[in-house]
Amino acid sequence: MTKKINLFANLKQDFASGLVVFLVALPLCLGIALASGAPLFAGIISGVIGGLVVGYLSQSHISVSGPAAGLTAIVLTAITDLGTFNSFLLAGLIAGCIQLILGFIKAGSISNYFPTNVIEGMLAGIGVIIFLKQIPHAFGYDPDHEGDFGFFQPDGQNTFSEIFRVINHVQPGAIIITLVSLTIMILWTKVKFLKDLKLVPAALVAVVVGVLLNELFIGSNSSLAIRGAHLVTLPVPSSFEEFTQIFVSPDFTAITNPKVWIVGATIAIVASIETLLCIEAADRMDVQKRYTDTNVELKAQGIGNIISSLLGGLPMTSVVVRTSANNNAGAKSKMSTIIHGVLLIISVLAIPSLLNKIPLATLAAILLMIGYKLANPKILKHFWEKGKYQFVPFLATLIGVIFTDLLKGVALGIIISIIFVLKGNLKRAYNFRKEEYADGDIIHIDLAQEVSFLNKAAIKSTLNDIPENSKVVINAADTVYIAHDILDLIREFKTTRSIDKNIKVKLKGFKKAYQLENSEGFKNTVTVEQKYDAMKRKMVNINN
């Protein structure tokens, strides 16, 4: 039975971290909605549901859900293809239902097969992206909206070319606010007195100081003042009627449209994989090393996407950026995620005008700190010291995430990891030894504990290269499993090829392997004694 969590046990720390996540999530929700071609409030609705509903239902202690940058291309294309946003909402609802089913059939267990070095590479790659993407905002150049983490941008630029364009668009006021904000957050981690102020997070102080500085610049008519697109742009409803128009419903008449079902299935698969990757990453970040039931997480995400779609929100996933912000801010339980959802609601209802005074430069400073912590150079050194089998998949994932996207980068890392596993498996399948004796050469081939069909090519090549007039000893004394393909290969070598090349073959220890080898010819109904007798008969055949 799952241990019940007391959500109020660490309210002091969770409130502070929830506040930080809220400050990070607000521009990201708006930016991702903008990039998706959806109403801006659709991103806020998704963030609220991700905080309140998924935050409550999930068993993850630090993961935060909301609209995901990884889904923007899918959402943008889908809205265009389906014709209306309402039809797209129906696809989002279908995606939620599919995720719910995936949770019940325990598809979340697939996350156990994500290699650690690939997960760490993904986190480092996202950290690099966050850091690079915030450099233009830190200098006051904001054509690329917050929430766009793709290498290629909608304006035709890319992550690196955007940084070079900053030179011609520097805003001194933004630089001052960025530097002041960074100084505040660095001091908060160095000065003991400030570190002890758990209820007052450094990010909040940085935001307040950033707002006050900019208001001072505006009040004095200084050229340093930051205005317009360089500030947070939360829509401000002018009336209650306008506020109610935020919520739109799915178009259920589109249920017979095959495209709606295809989009729904696509979102379900992509969102589920991204969520599972993020949950694995979140569990690795968690200083208390708690584990999340990924099947419960898929159910929570499914319910969250169903409710979000019914209210007019974007599809969501567990998101690394917000999760890492939550962890860095010292979150102790999922109460932090819930608080961030509550603050998103309050911001929309009560203080949208106040939030629109926040400079993007001060938020860039917060994200620069998050990016640096995720992509700390010490992590690169750590995997370098572990050797190439750990470092290469890590580095490939990191580079893949930066230059493509999260899923492609992770897929590249996993493929390379599998290649390394297969390569290592081929090497460990047997030990090839050759010893010089006066009366001729004796070649020893010692089979490993497990010899699968994957080792067939290597063993076949070795047997084929054995010189004429040799003596060969194939030893399976330590082998507990040997595939039928390998047995056939050895039998063929002993009975045919060795005779043609005048090679004397001796087989040792094969009885143990035969005892555990469940090859064809053994039915579930036979007794253990019958199996043993049959294996002995096969052994006689192979030795003859």
Side-chain angles (χ1 to χ4, degrees):
M1 180 179 289
T2 304
K3 184 180 177 182
K4 189 174 181 180
I5 301 172
N6 182 1
L7 293 177
F8 298 94
N10 301 285
L11 187 59
K12 183 178 178 181
Q13 295 96 321
D14 287 337
F15 182 82
S17 55
L19 190 55
V20 173
V21 178
F22 156 70
L23 292 172
V24 171
L26 180 64
L28 292 181
C29 288
L30 296 171
I32 290 169
L34 181 66
S36 302
L40 290 182
F41 271 114
I44 298 293
I45 292 170
S46 179
V48 170
I49 301 302
L52 297 181
V53 178
V54 179
Y56 178 77
L57 295 176
S58 170
Q59 290 183 359
S60 177
H61 298 274
I62 63 171
S63 171
V64 183
S65 295
L71 295 177
T72 52
I74 296 173
V75 174
L76 180 63
T77 304
I79 292 174
T80 303
D81 289 346
L82 297 177
T84 66
F85 182 63
N86 301 73
S87 297
F88 170 77
L89 291 177
L90 181 61
L93 191 151
I94 291 170
C97 293
I98 294 173
Q99 284 185 299
L100 199 56
I101 294 170
L102 290 174
F104 278 111
I105 65 174
K106 301 188 183 303
S109 302
I110 191 176
S111 64
N112 295 322
Y113 299 98
F114 297 145
T116 298
N117 52 356
V118 171
I119 296 297
E120 292 287 355
M122 177 192 78
L123 286 173
I126 291 172
V128 172
I129 292 172
I130 293 171
F131 194 91
L132 295 177
K133 286 289 187 181
Q134 295 311 309
I135 291 175
H137 297 298
F139 283 87
Y141 184 54
D142 305 297
D144 188 35
H145 54 80
E146 289 283 6
D148 178 17
F149 295 121
F151 181 74
F152 296 103
Q153 300 174 180
D155 60 359
Q157 300 300 316
N158 61 54
T159 301
F160 294 114
S161 67
E162 190 81 351
I163 294 174
F164 290 119
R165 287 167 64 89
V166 168
I167 297 171
N168 299 321
H169 302 86
V170 172
Q171 293 229 1
I175 296 175
I176 292 171
I177 289 175
T178 298
L179 292 175
V180 170
S181 300
L182 284 172
T183 302
I184 290 170
M185 287 184 289
I186 292 171
L187 287 175
W188 231 260
T189 63
K190 302 293 184 182
V191 181
K192 186 178 185 305
F193 167 71
L194 296 175
K195 287 170 69 175
D196 293 337
L197 296 175
K198 300 293 184 183
L199 193 60
V200 184
L204 176 61
V205 177
V207 167
V208 171
V209 172
V211 170
L212 293 176
L213 264 177
N214 193 47
E215 288 299 307
L216 180 63
F217 295 154
I218 294 173
S220 60
N221 291 320
S222 170
S223 60
L224 299 175
I226 299 174
R227 294 184 173 88
H230 306 297
L231 303 172
V232 170
T233 52
L234 181 66
V236 183
S238 57
S239 64
F240 180 76
E241 182 181 354
E242 187 176 337
F243 176 76
T244 57
Q245 292 175 355
I246 293 171
F247 304 99
V248 294
S249 301
D251 179 10
F252 289 98
T253 62
I255 194 71
T256 56
N257 185 347
K259 289 184 179 180
V260 170
W261 288 90
I262 293 171
V263 171
T266 303
I267 292 173
I269 293 169
V270 175
S272 297
I273 294 174
E274 288 206 13
T275 290
L276 294 176
L277 287 167
C278 183
I279 289 298
E280 283 296 305
D283 286 351
R284 291 195 59 77
M285 291 182 207
D286 188 3
V287 293
Q288 298 184 46
K289 300 304 175 187
R290 295 164 290 189
Y291 292 105
T292 302
D293 187 329
T294 49
N295 296 311
V296 173
E297 185 66 30
L298 286 180
K299 294 175 189 176
Q301 294 288 335
I303 293 171
N305 276 322
I306 290 171
I307 296 175
S308 179
S309 297
L310 288 172
L311 295 176
L314 291 174
M316 70 189 72
T317 72
S318 177
V319 192
V320 171
V321 179
R322 274 157 269 195
T323 298
S324 57
N326 195 31
N327 179 64
N328 292 335
K332 299 294 182 183
S333 76
K334 60 184 183 180
M335 187 63 178
S336 174
T337 302
I338 296 171
I339 288 171
H340 120 274
V342 172
L343 291 175
L344 280 173
I345 293 178
I346 294 173
S347 69
V348 173
L349 295 177
I351 55 170
S353 299
L354 180 60
L355 293 173
N356 285 343
K357 295 180 181 293
I358 300 176
L360 292 179
T362 194
L363 296 177
I366 297 172
L367 289 167
L368 281 171
M369 292 292 290
I370 293 170
Y372 175 77
K373 288 180 179 179
L374 283 174
N376 194 311
K378 291 180 180 178
I379 300 172
L380 196 70
K381 182 182 177 184
H382 169 74
F383 279 97
W384 173 263
E385 292 172 348
K386 281 194 168 189
K388 64 179 180 180
Y389 288 102
Q390 289 293 315
F391 180 73
V392 174
F394 165 83
L395 186 63
T397 305
L398 187 155
I399 295 172
V401 168
I402 293 172
F403 289 99
T404 56
D405 57 42
L406 185 149
L407 291 183
K408 291 175 184 174
V410 168
L412 176 63
I414 290 176
I415 289 170
I416 292 176
S417 293
I418 291 172
I419 291 172
F420 279 176
V421 168
L422 294 178
K423 185 177 179 182
N425 187 268
L426 291 176
K427 287 185 176 181
R428 290 189 294 272
Y430 60 93
N431 181 41
F432 180 80
R433 305 187 269 126
K434 182 177 178 181
E435 299 176 4
E436 293 287 342
Y437 286 93
D439 58 346
D441 291 344
I442 298 179
I443 298 172
H444 293 263
I445 300 176
D446 300 325
L447 299 182
Q449 192 174 21
E450 293 188 11
V451 186
S452 72
F453 72 95
L454 296 172
N455 311 123
K456 182 177 179 179
I459 294 176
K460 186 176 182 179
S461 176
T462 297
L463 294 177
N464 189 57
D465 292 340
I466 292 175
E468 295 181 356
N469 307 314
S470 300
K471 296 177 183 178
V472 180
V473 178
I474 303 177
N475 186 4
D478 296 326
T479 308
V480 295
Y481 169 79
I482 184 167
H484 193 271
D485 288 2
I486 306 300
L487 289 172
D488 284 344
L489 183 65
I490 294 172
R491 183 183 294 112
E492 181 186 357
F493 174 74
K494 178 175 173 56
T495 58
T496 307
R497 297 185 181 276
S498 65
I499 295 173
D500 295 339
K501 297 173 71 173
N502 194 30
I503 299 173
K504 294 182 180 180
V505 180
K506 181 179 180 182
L507 303 180
K508 291 177 60 178
F510 274 78
K511 186 182 293 184
K512 187 176 181 181
Y514 274 113
Q515 278 183 305
L516 298 177
E517 202 270 324
N518 187 25
S519 59
E520 61 190 53
F522 296 128
K523 304 298 182 183
N524 292 332
T525 55
V526 301
T527 64
V528 174
E529 290 76 17
Q530 287 174 320
K531 287 184 180 181
Y532 185 71
D533 289 338
M535 285 185 279
K536 282 205 301 185
R537 287 194 296 272
K538 278 194 174 184
M539 193 64 225
V540 171
N541 290 335
I542 198 171
N543 279 294
N544 292 328

